[in-house]
Amino acid sequence: MYDVIVIGGGVAGLSGALPLVRSRRSVLVIDQGEPRNAPADGVHNFLTRDGIPPLELTALGRHEVTGYGGEVVDGTVVSARSAAGGFVVETADGRTYESRRLLVTTGLTDQLPDVPGLAERFGRDVLHCPFCHGWEVRDQAIGVLATGPAAIHQTMMFRQLSDDVTLFLHTGPHPTEQEWEELAARGISVVQGVVEQVEVSDDQLTGVRLEGGRVIPRQALAVQSYLRARADFLDELGLKAVEREVRGISIGTAVEAGPSGTTSVPGVWVAGNVTDPMSQVVTSAAAGFSAGAAINGDLVGEDTRLAVAARSS
């Protein structure tokens, strides 16, 4: 029986485990080894670690957690259920583990537009976030693939980074009269028509092909992905990811949480992209720490109640 099982060994999970192990809690981190940012060359906007490869950052985190006595195992959690004294989690290979509390930091998956070639380039020169990747494509020929109403905002964000930005309307809504005016004022080209595929040469994005064969040269392409929480294994606990909106636009699903990651199930906390799809690496780390500290406080309260009861018996 561990004090805490952390499901998900990315930055949020490891940052949650660290204050727990430093508080002398027994902690097990279970990680399936498929971080969302694995294709990216580096993590950005993480103070003192800007540009560090994602897997190097988590390797450092694992080293710190295990250095204080925490355990980290590879595995994919397929179910979690309540049990006497806490919870039982099961992995895909049949292993089971028990704990008094759970911290879920499994992140999300990106559901990309259905355009041939996008998935293979995602995280490299097919991008979604100007803060994550914008500096790396500055002054390049950037395209933005419209699949929803957020495309105009995304286009304006990338216009901050390059004078050569083209909006591909694809399946997105046509700009309003005001938006047409704003796009023209910023010198942003607009291409109508459905995008058929992306063009690649020598492992570099070179252009965007429209239906009919026309190719618009581009060096990078920004897309809007649907952000789906990795949370199906929580069904037995009664926790489900729900639709999340930003500015009235559905961006994906997330597990609802209160302060410090509390959920509707007592004893279960969440942190990182599984509950906040827009969270950056550095803010996911902060959320993980807050959840870990809150869990320790909750356990302190329970330990005290149990000690009083034992003393009184």
Side-chain angles (χ1 to χ4, degrees):
M1 173 71 78
Y2 292 91
D3 286 324
V4 184
I5 291 177
V6 180
I7 306 174
V11 169
L14 294 170
S15 294
L18 194 57
L20 287 162
V21 292
R22 283 176 50 84
S23 298
R24 308 193 76 173
R25 296 294 178 186
S26 59
V27 176
L28 174 68
V29 179
I30 305 175
D31 182 43
Q32 68 178 14
E34 297 177 1
R36 176 193 182 198
N37 60 0
D41 290 335
V43 172
H44 296 289
N45 301 306
F46 199 120
L47 195 62
T48 77
R49 289 293 182 267
D50 189 75
I52 187 173
L55 296 181
E56 183 178 338
L57 181 60
T58 52
L60 289 170
R62 282 188 174 206
H63 178 72
E64 290 181 356
V65 168
T66 56
Y68 287 104
E71 298 177 40
V72 181
V73 298
D74 297 324
T76 301
V77 173
V78 294
S79 70
R81 64 182 186 275
S82 298
F87 304 92
V88 175
V89 301
E90 182 176 354
T91 60
D93 58 5
R95 290 173 290 167
T96 59
Y97 303 94
E98 298 182 45
S99 66
R100 298 165 65 190
R101 302 291 187 271
L102 292 180
L103 173 56
V104 178
T105 59
T106 42
L108 58 80
T109 57
D110 292 273
Q111 186 174 313
L112 297 171
D114 186 17
V115 174
L118 281 187
E120 294 80 4
R121 309 301 307 173
F122 189 59
R124 300 165 68 190
D125 40 28
V126 171
L127 319 168
H128 72 292
C129 171
F131 296 110
C132 301
H133 309 288
W135 176 263
E136 284 63 44
V137 297
R138 67 193 185 283
D139 297 327
Q140 294 185 18
I142 301 172
V144 178
L145 182 70
T147 53
I152 300 294
H153 174 71
Q154 188 180 39
T155 301
M156 294 303 181
M157 295 289 284
F158 276 96
R159 177 61 181 81
Q160 176 66 24
L161 299 156
S162 174
D163 293 336
D164 186 358
V165 177
T166 297
L167 172 63
F168 295 89
L169 291 183
H170 189 50
T171 60
H174 274 240
T176 65
E177 184 175 338
Q178 177 64 31
E179 289 169 340
W180 278 114
E181 180 67 23
E182 292 169 351
L183 291 164
R186 296 304 305 272
I188 296 167
S189 301
V190 179
V191 175
Q192 302 192 46
V194 175
V195 171
E196 186 176 65
Q197 67 180 55
V198 295
E199 297 284 303
V200 178
S201 178
D202 295 327
D203 199 29
Q204 296 287 330
L205 181 74
T206 58
V208 173
R209 179 180 295 276
L210 303 172
E211 285 186 347
R214 182 186 175 198
V215 175
I216 310 296
R218 295 289 91 183
Q219 296 168 281
L221 183 66
V223 300
Q224 304 100 55
S225 59
Y226 186 79
L227 311 172
R228 190 178 298 279
R230 293 172 171 168
D232 291 347
F233 65 93
L234 296 173
D235 285 354
E236 198 169 340
L237 287 173
L239 279 176
K240 292 184 180 295
V242 298
E243 203 76 17
R244 180 65 58 87
E245 293 186 352
V246 173
R247 302 186 191 93
I249 301 170
S250 175
I251 62 167
T253 62
V255 177
E256 293 186 315
S260 299
T262 54
T263 71
S264 59
V265 177
V268 180
W269 275 255
V270 291
N273 286 144
V274 72
T275 183
D276 184 359
M278 303 294 287
S279 183
Q280 298 282 306
V281 174
V282 68
T283 47
S284 290
F289 173 84
S290 295
I295 292 170
N296 184 59
D298 188 55
L299 287 169
V300 166
E302 181 174 273
D303 291 341
T304 303
R305 290 190 298 273
L306 292 172
V308 169
R311 187 171 186 269
S312 302
S313 61

